[in-house]
Amino acid sequence: MLVFPTAPSPTSMQLMTPGSSSSSRSAQQHSRLSTASIGITHSGFVNVRLEEEKPIFNKQRIDFTPPERINHLAVIDLAKPDQPNQTELGRKDDSKVHRLFLDPTGSHLLICLSTSECLYLNRNTQKVRSLSRWRGHLVESVGWNKLLGSETNTGPILVGTSQGIIFEAEISATEGSLFNTNPDQYFRQVHSLEEDGKPAPVCCLEVERGLENKYFIIATTRKRLFQFVGKLAEGSEQQGFSSIFSQNHDLLPSFQEFPANMGYSEITFYTPKLRTSPKAFAWMMGNGVLYGQLDYVRPDSLLSDVQFHFLLLLHDRVKAICTLNGEVVHEDVFPDKFGTLKKMIKDPVGGLVWIYTERAVFRYHIQREARDVWQMYMSMSKFDLAKEYCRDRPECMDMVLAEEAEHCFRNKRYLESAKCYAMTQNYFEEIALKFIEAKQEEALKEFLLKKLSNLKAGERTQITLLVTWLAELYLNRLGQLESDGNAAVAQETRDEFRQFLGNSRHKECLYNNRSTIYDLLASHGNVDDMVYFSVVMQDYERVISHYCQHDDYGAALDVLSKHCDQKLFYKFSPVLMQHIPKQVVDAWIQMGKRLDPKKLIPALMNYSQMGSTQQISETIRYMEFCVYELTVTEEAIHNYLLSLYAKYKPDSLLWYLEQAGVHVSDIHYDLKYALRLCAENGYLRACVLVYRIMELYEEAVDLALQVDVDLAKSCADLPEDDEELRKKLWLKIARHVVQEEKDVKKAMNCLSSCNLLKIEDILPFFPDFVTIDHFKEAICSSLEEYNQHIEELKQEMEEATESAKRIREDIQEMRNKYGVVDSQEKCAACDFPLLNRPFYLFLCGHMFHYDCLFQEVTPHLTAFKQSRLEELQRKLAATTLSSKSRQRPAPKDEEDASSLGKGSAGTSREQIKSDMDDIIASECVYCGELMIKSIDKPFIDPQKFEEEKSSWL
């Protein structure tokens, strides 16, 4: 069966007769082409094989000796060929097997006898069943249904007979009903074939399904090949193929005929895999072998597995003929002892070829049939096909590419030659010199580009060489095109060159060798491409320098603003500020905190001193932005803004000082610098303000009196905690008012403004001729204040006397106060009986041993009191020793002398103990102020924490 989905006839057909080969040669002579005959030299691949390659066709005899002569053979995927099963046909007459037909799955076997009877055998049973409906027809061919066939049912199939009749039938292996036990479901005629007006045997049948539910039926007679094409309705495949023949009933069937007739013909289809459409066919008839390709998409497609050889079976030998060149590539002669060769069969599943004689069975292994096809295609200059068949063999691919490159070079197709050369392993220098000698720079450039794309990242030296060379070639080409005035081609080449410069694959190489590329660009005077290359390399400094040198300051600033490089801003801002100050300041403001204003001050100071009004105003605008928007606290920035205000914008100076703050901690400028700056420029109010911030109130008042008395008054009230200074400042103001302004009323107002001044304080400032009338009210007011003050003092004295009286009464009461201590009372600190040792009793009821209280109080005492307590302890110990020494017997005169000082020593000891009591027993340690102050202290001393922590582990 053969399927033609796109054309009514096979494509790429050739006719080959068995005698077309000039002679029979060995497989080694014709299966390969030597490299010497190809003319390829200097290949980079070395083909080393450890063992000889096996031949394509390898024959093996099967270990099978039949009891009788072999009549027919059918093969399908023999897993165990050495374990045959024998089945009896159950015939005792002289009937012989005429033909065997095995479906592609190996499930159904048809045994056609010479008595026009047909038997059926299923793989799952050993019982042979007769097909009664087939009786009377000598079957010559069967077209199996690959789509609907299963293990138990064949589906609709076609059957060809010796009388040229084509039947449609279906066989089922399952048992039928009680009245229908035959496996054949139906058997009906659908068509008949003729040759020269007479019935002709149907030698072969093939059924295939194509696209869009289209079916193709191929039938052959002894010298004709018929084709039937038709569509079946979706879902009607089970109804059979009769509708296809009925569609072609009114038309003569398409066929091809050859005049020679050898009594029969045979067609074979090449199918790569089971249940797939065939790719090629070969039809043997009287004239020879007709073979061709079957392509379902486009004609002459050889991109899939293709049949490259014919195996021709003669009576005593097998010949393998190459379909590409018609040469005999293999010939195998069989000894006479096996008998005449009967038939050759191909296993559709395993791909093995089987041949049998009357006495033996042979099997052919076909290994890598397409191994040498690339050489044949290469010798025919069909390089694309040659490359298809050596994709997995790099040494062969290299030879094909080298030959293709040489072929293109000889035919002056230099660009194609360069592309092929770049993919070979031939010597780089030879190929490059070849294009240079031919003066083909474009081909050389293409070769270098292709070679560059094939290099690995680690081959840095080669990449550097190629990149530099290509840059030189591009620049030479651009220069030549521009000199020729070919603008369109020059622009296209420039775009290609820039694409090459911006290629990310060799960006690292370009960056590492950018100085070389710059030198090349400069030597050719190619400024535009130099700028482009600088941008690609992110060498913005060079780009900006170029724009500045050509007075294109706007473009330079655009590059700066786009890439936001702070270092470049610091470097080029002085130049740009000189020419486009407003745009530069706008860019600075846009950069915000990414720029350090201190690093811009040198340029600003330079042009603020000798620049135009616009430059100065823009400088002030940026400084104000830094101070008020960015809240910069750098002293240099504030000092510089102060200097700008003092020199160019004095109206803003005082406002800046006032809003900057009045406390030194809030000030970010240098006060001394600001004072000197304001003094040099005569800004007295600003100086007064600075003096006030510096807390130099006398200087502030002295300077304020030169400006305004009210300003001086505001300064005089500032030292609130120092009344003496305030009074002194107000006296300065009063002296100024009296002596300088000679205004008595203002002097009196000073008295009312400051409560520290009295009339007697300012009287010395007045001249002698001033009458008392001017001071009458002030003197009376002063006297009234004195009287009131005297009365207040009397009242305070009376209150103090009363308080002293009460204190004396309390002291007397405390002397008579006592407390009762029970014998079972315990110390509040150690919980031991209290009366065992000296103790203290507090009004709150807490009682402590002396030593316990000493230990509790000491850690809470200040360093001064602790040192004082230690000193008292030493003194107490010293007095104790002296008292013990006095208790020893002494002479009478000494006793009289010592008794004189006994009273003073006892007094000193009591005083020491009293001082110690004042320190440690002034208040209860649990109820007094010490406990309140210790509320924020940790329970464990931090220095002893680790020790305490380890004791718990």
Side-chain angles (χ1 to χ4, degrees):
M1 289 183 291
L2 182 63
V3 176
F4 295 98
T6 58
S9 61
T11 61
S12 303
M13 294 187 296
Q14 300 182 38
L15 181 62
M16 179 177 292
T17 61
S20 61
S21 175
S22 60
S23 63
S24 175
R25 286 167 285 183
S26 63
Q28 282 80 6
Q29 293 173 336
H30 299 283
S31 62
R32 299 175 183 83
L33 295 177
S34 64
T35 57
S37 64
I38 299 172
I40 301 173
T41 59
H42 306 306
S43 176
F45 284 95
V46 178
N47 189 10
V48 178
R49 294 177 179 171
L50 299 179
E51 59 184 15
E52 186 178 355
E53 198 170 35
K54 294 182 180 179
I56 295 177
F57 302 99
N58 184 18
K59 181 179 69 176
Q60 178 188 5
R61 184 180 177 184
I62 302 301
D63 186 14
F64 171 60
T65 304
E68 297 183 5
R69 293 183 177 182
I70 300 174
N71 190 10
H72 288 277
L73 180 70
V75 182
I76 179 73
D77 195 16
L78 288 182
K80 298 179 180 179
D82 55 343
Q83 299 179 9
N85 293 327
Q86 185 172 340
T87 302
E88 294 290 339
L89 299 181
R91 292 292 185 274
K92 298 182 179 179
D93 51 14
D94 295 334
S95 60
K96 298 180 180 180
V97 176
H98 177 65
R99 284 188 180 275
L100 293 179
F101 301 99
L102 184 66
D103 80 310
T105 65
S107 300
H108 310 281
L109 177 65
L110 296 177
I111 307 169
C112 300
L113 305 179
S114 57
T115 57
S116 299
E117 186 178 359
C118 196
L119 304 178
Y120 171 71
L121 177 64
N122 189 271
R123 181 172 60 180
N124 297 327
T125 64
Q126 297 296 322
K127 180 180 179 181
V128 178
R129 304 169 68 184
S130 176
L131 302 176
S132 59
R133 293 187 174 89
W134 295 42
R135 189 173 293 122
H137 300 283
L138 187 62
V139 178
E140 296 286 347
S141 59
V142 174
W144 297 102
N145 194 324
K146 300 176 184 178
L147 181 65
L148 299 178
S150 63
E151 291 187 359
T152 58
N153 194 288
T154 63
I157 61 175
L158 295 178
V159 180
T161 68
S162 60
Q163 297 300 317
I165 302 174
I166 299 177
F167 289 90
E168 184 180 79
E170 184 176 358
I171 302 174
S172 176
T174 57
E175 296 290 341
S177 61
L178 180 64
F179 302 101
N180 183 17
T181 61
N182 294 328
D184 49 337
Q185 303 298 308
Y186 63 87
F187 190 77
R188 56 174 177 260
Q189 180 178 346
V190 292
H191 200 71
S192 61
L193 301 180
E194 295 182 352
E195 283 183 359
D196 302 328
K198 298 179 181 179
V202 183
C203 299
C204 297
L205 278 172
E206 182 80 10
V207 180
E208 288 294 340
R209 179 185 178 183
L211 302 175
E212 298 178 356
N213 219 35
K214 183 181 289 185
Y215 280 81
F216 304 89
I217 301 173
I218 293 181
T220 64
T221 60
R222 290 166 297 192
K223 59 179 182 179
R224 288 186 178 181
L225 187 151
F226 296 87
Q227 301 179 60
F228 301 91
V229 182
K231 284 188 175 182
L232 293 180
E234 190 72 31
S236 63
E237 292 86 353
Q238 194 66 41
Q239 298 178 8
F241 307 106
S242 57
S243 61
I244 296 177
F245 290 100
S246 63
Q247 293 174 21
N248 294 268
H249 180 72
D250 298 333
L251 301 175
L252 292 176
S254 173
F255 68 88
Q256 294 186 6
E257 182 176 4
F258 292 89
N261 183 359
M262 64 178 182
Y264 73 97
S265 70
E266 186 168 350
I267 189 169
T268 301
F269 293 87
Y270 172 70
T271 305
K273 297 179 181 179
L274 184 64
R275 298 187 184 276
T276 60
S277 300
K279 299 294 183 183
F281 76 97
W283 181 36
M284 184 177 68
M285 57 338 193
N287 291 62
V289 178
L290 176 70
Y291 69 95
Q293 308 300 326
L294 302 178
D295 192 346
Y296 294 89
V297 180
R298 58 183 185 273
D300 299 322
S301 174
L302 298 174
L303 301 182
S304 58
D305 293 332
V306 180
Q307 182 179 359
F308 294 107
H309 300 90
F310 291 143
L311 283 180
L312 298 180
L313 183 69
L314 305 180
H315 69 282
D316 63 342
R317 68 192 62 196
V318 174
K319 287 186 177 182
I321 301 176
C322 179
T323 61
L324 298 179
N325 53 20
E327 294 182 353
V328 177
V329 298
H330 178 77
E331 185 173 0
D332 192 4
V333 180
F334 286 74
D336 295 336
K337 65 179 181 179
F338 296 123
T340 304
L341 300 181
K342 301 291 288 183
K343 195 171 183 179
M344 180 167 53
I345 303 169
K346 183 179 180 181
D347 179 2
V349 177
L352 302 177
V353 176
W354 297 75
I355 296 175
Y356 71 93
T357 67
E358 292 179 347
R359 301 183 183 89
V361 178
F362 299 89
R363 177 172 60 187
Y364 275 95
H365 289 271
I366 302 175
Q367 298 179 350
R368 297 175 59 205
E369 184 183 0
R371 69 175 69 163
D372 299 322
V373 172
W374 65 273
Q375 292 181 334
M376 301 176 190
Y377 280 131
M378 185 174 66
S379 64
M380 295 186 294
S381 298
K382 295 183 178 181
F383 300 108
D384 291 339
L385 296 177
K387 286 182 282 189
E388 279 293 327
Y389 291 100
C390 60
R391 288 190 179 278
D392 56 344
R393 301 173 67 182
E395 72 281 2
C396 301
M397 178 68 78
D398 187 71
M399 296 169 66
V400 173
L401 290 170
E403 177 63 19
E404 183 180 7
E406 288 287 344
H407 177 78
C408 294
F409 194 90
R410 289 192 298 268
N411 291 276
K412 300 186 183 303
R413 292 154 49 194
Y414 297 110
L415 289 177
E416 298 177 34
S417 176
K419 293 177 182 178
C420 294
Y421 269 132
M423 292 186 287
T424 67
Q425 299 297 321
N426 290 21
Y427 293 142
F428 173 83
E429 299 84 352
E430 290 185 4
I431 300 172
L433 288 172
K434 200 169 187 177
F435 287 115
I436 292 174
E437 291 173 357
K439 297 181 179 180
Q440 295 295 322
E441 286 194 2
E442 283 297 310
L444 177 61
K445 184 184 68 177
E446 188 66 32
F447 170 69
L448 297 178
L449 284 171
K450 196 72 175 179
K451 204 71 177 177
L452 179 63
S453 65
N454 293 334
L455 290 177
K456 298 179 181 178
E459 299 173 311
R460 296 181 180 178
T461 304
Q462 295 88 330
I463 293 175
T464 302
L465 171 65
L466 293 181
V467 167
T468 309
W469 196 351
L470 282 166
E472 179 68 25
L473 290 176
Y474 273 116
L475 291 172
N476 289 338
R477 180 64 174 164
L478 283 172
Q480 182 181 355
L481 291 173
E482 289 175 353
S483 61
D484 294 342
N486 197 339
V489 180
Q491 184 59 42
E492 183 179 348
T493 305
R494 175 169 278 106
D495 293 341
E496 184 181 347
F497 179 44
R498 291 187 175 184
Q499 185 178 2
F500 167 75
L501 293 176
N503 195 321
S504 58
R505 289 195 59 190
H506 40 266
K507 184 177 181 180
E508 181 182 357
C509 174
L510 287 168
Y511 183 80
N512 294 334
N513 299 277
R514 59 188 183 278
S515 58
T516 304
I517 304 298
Y518 282 134
D519 293 340
L520 285 174
L521 292 167
S523 65
H524 286 268
N526 197 329
V527 178
D528 293 338
D529 289 324
M530 182 185 292
V531 173
Y532 176 82
F533 180 67
S534 301
V535 173
V536 171
M537 293 293 102
Q538 297 182 355
D539 191 359
Y540 304 118
E541 181 176 352
R542 187 181 293 267
V543 178
I544 298 169
S545 298
H546 167 77
Y547 286 134
C548 291
Q549 290 171 4
H550 292 77
D551 297 335
D552 193 353
Y553 303 106
L557 183 60
D558 289 341
V559 176
L560 268 177
S561 302
K562 181 178 181 181
H563 300 286
C564 303
D565 191 329
Q566 294 93 329
K567 294 182 180 178
L568 296 180
F569 264 103
Y570 302 144
K571 181 174 182 178
F572 290 99
S573 287
V575 178
L576 298 176
M577 189 67 183
Q578 184 179 4
H579 297 89
I580 48 173
K582 184 180 185 306
Q583 293 88 329
V584 173
V585 171
D586 289 340
W588 290 349
I589 292 175
Q590 188 175 6
M591 287 287 290
K593 291 187 177 181
R594 286 175 289 180
L595 289 179
D596 186 357
K598 286 194 302 182
K599 297 182 179 181
L600 297 172
I601 286 180
L604 294 173
M605 292 184 67
N606 183 27
Y607 296 112
S608 65
Q609 293 174 5
M610 65 180 188
S612 64
T613 305
Q614 184 185 12
Q615 292 170 349
I616 294 169
S617 62
E618 293 300 327
T619 301
I620 294 175
R621 180 163 73 96
Y622 181 66
M623 288 293 99
E624 290 177 340
F625 170 76
C626 294
V627 171
Y628 303 132
E629 298 295 332
L630 300 182
T631 61
V632 175
T633 59
E634 296 286 345
E635 186 177 273
I637 300 298
H638 287 262
N639 289 344
Y640 183 46
L641 181 59
L642 268 176
S643 66
L644 291 173
Y645 280 153
K647 191 171 183 180
Y648 301 107
K649 201 174 180 181
D651 296 340
S652 301
L653 177 62
L654 187 60
W655 176 83
Y656 167 78
L657 294 174
E658 289 174 348
Q659 63 84 33
V662 295
H663 299 289
V664 177
S665 59
D666 299 333
I667 303 301
H668 301 302
Y669 55 86
D670 188 345
L671 289 169
K672 294 181 180 179
Y673 174 76
L675 183 61
R676 180 173 60 83
L677 196 65
C678 296
E680 289 177 354
N681 290 276
Y683 302 131
L684 299 182
R685 284 185 177 272
C687 291
V688 172
L689 182 57
V690 176
Y691 276 135
R692 290 173 57 176
I693 297 172
M694 297 173 68
E695 297 183 355
L696 300 175
Y697 301 116
E698 291 191 46
E699 290 81 353
V701 171
D702 291 340
L703 193 58
L705 289 175
Q706 300 179 24
V707 180
D708 185 12
V709 174
D710 292 335
L711 180 60
K713 290 180 179 180
S714 64
C715 296
D717 282 332
L718 291 177
E720 297 178 353
D721 298 332
D722 192 344
E723 292 185 353
E724 183 178 355
L725 179 58
R726 283 179 59 200
K727 183 176 181 180
K728 182 178 179 180
L729 296 177
W730 277 104
L731 287 175
K732 282 179 176 287
I733 297 173
R735 180 192 296 273
H736 174 79
V737 171
V738 173
Q739 295 181 352
E740 300 296 332
E741 297 186 5
K742 303 183 186 305
D743 191 336
V744 178
K745 290 184 178 181
K746 279 188 177 182
M748 294 300 101
N749 290 335
C750 291
L751 293 176
S752 60
S753 300
C754 179
N755 55 1
L756 299 177
L757 292 182
K758 305 300 179 182
I759 185 62
E760 60 271 22
D761 295 328
I762 64 172
L763 281 178
F765 301 146
F766 289 96
D768 297 336
F769 57 84
V770 178
T771 59
I772 198 171
D773 294 340
H774 295 89
F775 311 107
K776 182 178 180 181
E777 295 181 1
I779 292 172
C780 293
S781 176
S782 178
L783 291 174
E784 290 178 358
E785 290 179 1
Y786 279 128
N787 291 332
Q788 185 178 358
H789 184 60
I790 292 170
E791 293 296 327
E792 291 175 355
L793 289 176
K794 287 181 178 180
Q795 186 175 357
E796 290 177 0
M797 290 174 64
E798 292 176 356
E799 292 176 355
T801 303
E802 184 65 26
S803 297
K805 181 180 178 180
R806 292 177 181 175
I807 290 172
R808 284 193 296 270
E809 293 175 353
D810 291 340
I811 291 173
Q812 186 63 33
E813 184 180 355
M814 288 294 294
R815 287 178 179 175
N816 299 326
K817 196 168 185 178
Y818 63 92
V820 179
V821 179
D822 193 88
S823 61
Q824 297 179 352
E825 292 290 345
K826 294 182 180 181
C827 174
C830 66
D831 204 31
F832 280 96
L834 185 67
L835 299 179
N836 291 346
R837 300 196 299 273
F839 64 90
Y840 287 96
L841 172 64
F842 291 95
L843 294 177
C844 61
H846 287 116
M847 291 168 280
F848 300 91
H849 289 128
Y850 169 79
D851 54 344
C852 294
L853 181 63
F854 187 88
Q855 292 178 359
E856 290 286 335
V857 173
T858 301
H860 299 283
L861 297 176
T862 62
F864 173 77
K865 286 188 176 182
Q866 287 183 1
S867 62
R868 173 63 177 163
L869 187 61
E870 292 175 357
E871 181 183 358
L872 293 173
Q873 283 182 310
R874 288 195 298 270
K875 290 181 179 181
L876 182 62
T879 58
T880 303
L881 290 175
S882 63
S883 63
K884 288 182 179 180
S885 63
R886 282 194 294 270
Q887 292 176 3
R888 293 195 298 257
K892 182 174 176 59
D893 55 350
E894 292 181 2
E895 285 186 15
D896 296 339
S898 62
S899 63
L900 296 175
K902 185 176 180 181
S904 61
T907 304
S908 176
R909 180 180 174 85
E910 293 299 325
Q911 183 62 40
I912 291 172
K913 294 178 68 176
S914 176
D915 292 342
M916 292 178 65
D917 290 343
D918 291 341
I919 294 175
I920 65 174
S922 60
E923 60 181 357
C924 177
V925 70
Y926 287 170
C927 302
E929 189 177 350
L930 286 179
M931 183 58 66
I932 297 172
K933 290 181 178 180
S934 66
I935 193 171
D936 59 341
K937 293 184 180 180
F939 291 108
I940 301 174
D941 188 353
Q943 298 179 353
K944 299 181 180 179
F945 178 78
E946 293 297 331
E947 180 182 351
E948 185 70 21
K949 178 181 176 182
S950 60
S951 66
W952 283 78
L953 298 177

